[in-house]
Every structure is written in structure tokens, then in C-alpha cells.
Amino acid sequence: MIIIKNKTELNDILNIDKDAGSSIGFVPTMGALHQGHLTLLQQAIDENDKCVCSIFVNPTQFNNPEDLKNYPHDLIRDSKMLESIGCDYLFVPDVAEMYPKNEDKIIFDFGELEKVMEGADRPGHFQGVATIVKKLLEIIDPDKAYFGKKDYQQLMIIKSLKEQYRLKTEIIACDIVREIDGLAMSSRNQRLNALQRTQAPIIYRTLKNTQDLCSKLTVDELKDYVKTEINSNDMMDLVYFEITNPDTLLPIIKWNGANSFMGFIVVNMGDIRLIDNISLVRN
Ligand code: AMP
């Protein structure tokens, strides 16, 4: 695996591959890799001739400086994992490489998509995500880029980015990878202490129950159920549980004629923010 810090160098190397007719798959990450990331990478390796992974903890998408400071890093471990699964290139730019001085800042318009849930709760977050993903897609110009449904709203933002800027890269959505006890894998899970880790699977267990309960309860009752389940645990604080239209992600307040919805949850365990989502089908 070749490790590259400079965008021009990466672009030059990839141009040689592209000229030779190789297809390029790309997985952007913030590092502290786990099996969730590796599943995306394995798909990228299987479906393309060459695979690029980027590791960049993007400061502009952190609205909370403490969260940025505490974000886990382990580049040596990450590169060994990537090497062992057969990733071809690891791109590890520094902040100055991705954000040169005096560069104009793009203001993106994602309409309602960035006004709800993570957009409302983390001001500026999706502007930061779109800024970095656009830059990475322009440098690498891959045939396919892989994103996890764990960050479902982010995935919808990136699909909108692709449409708005007519990017040729195909955006591939990958299922959520979970621990055996159901907890969605996340780099942030590393920061849970042993006791918090035993309680964290309650999040998915509660979400799972909403799949059955959504046909029996009103929207308000279902939200109350989730709130009570989560907040009755001393170690957890529910930030929000929203039920939305699966395409627009606009929260609904009453069941309408549709039968397909999404449930989105965010829970704080101490200063660790855990997110998850589930598809809900009413019958
Ligand atoms: P991150 O390093 O958290 O920015 O994540 C990089 C990519 O991996 C994003 O597209 C995430 O949605 C995806 N990802 C992270 N955790 C999971 C997971 N448990 N299952 C599937 N995809 C994931």
C-alpha cells in the first residue's frame, strides 16, 4: 500500500492507473478504523481495480471543539489494517493540504435536508462534510465512492452534492455494520468505558422494538416509548428520536398514508455522541 500526503502526488499516481484502464473505488474516513469501515473498503476492493482510502479528521465538520480534540487517532494501526485487506492507496493529507489559505469558501444549499436532525443539532456540520467530500472527490475522481447508511443523513447530503455539482462518481450506500450485541460500530465506541459499553446496546434494542411498535402506536406514543426507554438508563441522555419520510428526511408528526419511514436516534453517553437509525414499515 502506498501512503500519500500530497494531493497532486495522489492525482498523478491515479492518473497513471486511469490511463491504464483501471477503475478506482474510494472510501473516505476519519480513521480509528473498525469492521464497519473495513466492510466498505472490502466492497470497494472487490468492485474496482484500485482502492483508495482517505483518513482525514475534518475540522470544519466538528461544531464542538472538545469532540474534535477527543476524536480517536491511530494511524499506525489503521495503515496495518488497510494493508492487510489489500487497499492500494492511503491518502493522509494534513489540514493545510486540504484547506489552503486564502481559498474561497463554498456555501452549499441542501434545503431542508440540512435543517433537520444532525443539521439542526450540529450547526455547520453538513457544510463541513460537503466541503471535504467535494474536495476529495475532485482530487481522486473515483468511479465509485462508498458511504455507510449509519450516517444516513450524510449519505443523502452527498447524493444531493453529486446531483448539484454533476459529479460523475457513483455513490454506493452500504448497510450498517453492527457488533454482535447490535451496537452500531463507530470510532466513538472506543471511548466508552466498560460499564457504558455494557449499556450501549440498549440503543439498538430500543430501535429494533420500534419496528414492531410502529404499527401499534401513534407517532407521539412511539417517541415517548423511546424517550422513556433511553432516559430511564442513568448513563444515557436522548438527544432526539425522529421518525421521518425515507427520502426527504422531513420528520412526521402523524402517520400518513405511506407505510415506509425511517427512525433516527442520537444518544449521549457522557460526552460521547452515539447515532443509529432503522427503517420502519407499518402494516
Ligand atoms: P467516519 O470515519 O466515521 O467518517 O466514517 C467513514 C465512513 O464509514 C462513512 O461513510 C460512515 O457512514 C461509514 N461507517 C462508519 N461506521 C459504519 C458502520 N458501523 N457501518 C457502516 N458504515 C459505517
Side-chain angles (χ1 to χ4, degrees):
M1 183 175 71
I2 302 177
I3 301 178
I4 301 155
K5 293 183 175 170
N6 177 284
K7 56 193 178 202
T8 316
E9 201 180 311
L10 177 64
N11 192 268
D12 289 348
I13 292 187
L14 290 176
N15 278 340
I16 298 171
D17 287 327
K18 289 173 192 172
D19 288 347
S22 296
S23 60
I24 311 289
F26 171 49
V27 182
T29 80
M30 296 203 297
L33 301 180
H34 50 69
Q35 195 53 44
H37 296 115
L38 295 189
T39 306
L40 270 61
L41 280 149
Q42 191 59 58
Q43 193 175 339
I45 290 167
D46 292 346
E47 294 181 355
N48 300 276
D49 299 315
K50 298 282 177 183
C51 173
V52 185
C53 176
S54 65
I55 294 182
F56 181 65
V57 182
N58 176 33
T60 65
Q61 72 188 67
F62 284 81
N63 54 312
N64 175 351
E66 278 301 299
D67 191 22
L68 174 59
K69 208 175 85 194
N70 290 330
Y71 203 83
H73 299 256
D74 193 343
L75 190 56
I76 293 172
R77 177 177 164 275
D78 287 350
S79 22
K80 282 187 188 145
M81 287 166 93
L82 290 167
E83 179 113 51
S84 72
I85 64 162
C87 179
D88 298 287
Y89 304 111
L90 169 58
F91 182 46
V92 278
D94 62 16
V95 173
E97 183 71 6
M98 294 314 289
Y99 291 103
K101 286 211 172 76
N102 304 324
E103 189 186 56
D104 287 342
K105 188 175 164 188
I106 301 180
I107 309 286
F108 297 93
D109 181 1
F110 296 111
E112 293 300 314
L113 207 48
E114 64 171 330
K115 298 199 177 85
V116 296
M117 299 190 291
E118 294 299 90
D121 205 51
R122 303 181 65 188
H125 171 65
F126 288 125
Q127 292 290 321
V129 168
T131 303
I132 196 66
V133 171
K134 181 170 180 289
K135 283 170 185 263
L136 289 168
L137 290 179
E138 284 170 354
I139 295 164
I140 296 165
D141 193 20
D143 296 275
K144 295 180 179 173
Y146 298 78
F147 295 87
K149 290 186 193 167
K150 166 151 182 294
D151 301 285
Y152 198 92
Q153 192 173 3
Q154 166 175 287
L155 174 66
M156 302 301 263
I157 291 276
I158 286 157
K159 285 184 174 174
S160 170
L161 179 75
K162 171 189 158 79
E163 293 310 315
Q164 289 186 43
Y165 288 87
R166 298 197 172 85
L167 304 174
K168 81 158 213 314
T169 301
E170 189 183 341
I171 305 299
I172 311 285
C174 305
D175 286 341
I176 301 178
V177 180
R178 299 182 178 283
E179 302 286 354
I180 292 167
D181 58 18
L183 178 66
M185 289 191 182
S186 165
S187 305
R188 289 188 165 91
N189 295 352
Q190 286 185 20
R191 297 191 51 237
L192 296 170
N193 66 34
L195 194 55
Q196 287 171 325
R197 179 63 188 82
T198 63
Q199 303 300 298
I202 291 174
I203 300 170
Y204 180 61
R205 226 177 293 148
T206 306
L207 267 189
K208 222 27 207 139
N209 289 341
T210 66
Q211 281 189 315
D212 180 39
L213 291 171
C214 73
S215 300
K216 300 174 181 153
L217 301 179
T218 66
V219 168
D220 282 343
E221 286 167 346
L222 192 58
K223 287 179 146 187
D224 283 346
Y225 162 76
V226 172
K227 196 171 171 182
T228 309
E229 285 296 302
I230 298 294
N231 287 346
S232 64
N233 186 300
D234 286 350
M235 278 179 258
M236 294 188 183
D237 274 316
L238 182 70
V239 180
Y240 62 76
F241 170 67
E242 289 289 3
I243 303 166
T244 78
N245 173 298
D247 303 314
T248 63
L249 303 195
L250 290 180
I252 58 154
I253 45 172
K254 279 200 163 68
W255 300 121
N256 49 35
N259 56 10
S260 186
F261 301 89
M262 289 289 297
F264 290 92
I265 194 166
V266 178
V267 174
N268 280 336
M269 294 193 81
D271 65 347
I272 306 162
R273 201 170 187 282
L274 301 177
I275 75 171
D276 204 344
N277 63 75
I278 202 155
S279 118
L280 301 175
V281 179
R282 266 167 61 80
N283 49 43

